[in-house]
Amino acid sequence: PEHVAVEDGDHAMTGAELHRMIGTIAHGLRSSGIGPGSGVAMDLDVSAESLAAYLAGFTLGCRVIGVHAGFSPPQRRHVLSCGVDTVLTGTRVAELLRGAAADPVVLARPDDVARVVYTSGSTGLPKGCAQTYKALSVHWSWDAENWCADTAELARRTSRYLLFGTLSSAIVQDFLAL
């Protein structure tokens, strides 16, 4: 809890602070009727608060939908019309963080859709790829005993990751799970 989990500009957030932020956002969403199976579109920038919002959505067992900042208006409308129950923006996350502090309560169920990652839409409307919580658990639980030597060496030398771009990227989300 006392180790730095996220650095965002000049702010270094400990694991305990991130944990509390995730719980507070999740509690606020749960209070508004969002929970397992709900579609939560993340229309967010890259910040510590945005990271906490994504993790709160996963904690609640929601269908987390990343919204790429570069989508055209028709592409955005398409993504936001595909099973979205609520849209989280920076303003909405800030409102949720003003609520009562709470610990996260994990409500995710293995067979529910965990995330929908959309393509760029370069050939028209973006196409979504859905993954269940069970699939993500298998994907995110690195099996260190079966790593090749290069992967083991990289993991041994790496204690920090620089994330840039968008949190809606499946690759960025995969690194967040590490």
Side-chain angles (χ1 to χ4, degrees):
E2 69 280 355
H3 290 27
V4 172
V6 177
E7 291 182 57
D8 183 14
D10 293 335
H11 182 223
M13 183 183 301
T14 66
E17 291 171 312
L18 180 61
H19 187 261
R20 187 170 37 258
M21 190 179 284
I22 293 165
T24 301
I25 293 169
H27 176 75
L29 288 170
R30 207 171 45 249
S31 296
S32 64
I34 300 299
S38 297
V40 179
M42 302 291 182
D43 194 5
L44 300 166
D45 60 1
V46 177
S47 67
E49 293 79 10
S50 298
L51 168 62
Y54 269 85
L55 296 174
F58 289 132
T59 299
L60 287 174
C62 295
R63 190 175 55 260
V64 176
I65 303 157
V67 180
H68 296 295
F71 281 155
S72 68
Q75 291 170 328
R76 289 178 64 74
R77 280 192 300 276
H78 170 70
V79 169
L80 294 175
S81 70
C82 295
V84 173
D85 296 300
T86 193
V87 178
L88 289 188
T89 62
T91 302
R92 179 67 177 127
V93 170
E95 290 169 2
L96 291 167
L97 285 171
R98 286 194 290 274
D103 286 329
V105 176
V106 177
L107 302 175
R109 302 176 299 209
D111 293 326
D112 284 349
V113 172
R115 69 178 177 185
V116 180
V117 179
Y118 280 89
T119 63
S120 67
S122 61
T123 61
L125 293 178
K127 290 140 191 84
C129 175
Q131 293 175 297
T132 64
Y133 280 94
K134 185 187 314 182
L136 284 183
S137 293
V138 170
H139 177 65
W140 284 347
S141 61
W142 284 33
D143 187 6
E145 295 80 34
N146 293 315
W147 289 353
C148 69
D150 290 340
T151 300
E153 180 63 16
L154 178 64
R156 188 182 66 74
R157 292 176 179 245
T158 307
S159 61
R160 298 170 57 116
Y161 298 95
L162 171 65
L163 299 179
F164 60 93
T166 174
L167 293 174
S168 62
S169 162
I171 294 169
V172 170
Q173 291 175 27
D174 287 351
F175 275 97
L176 296 176
L178 298 177

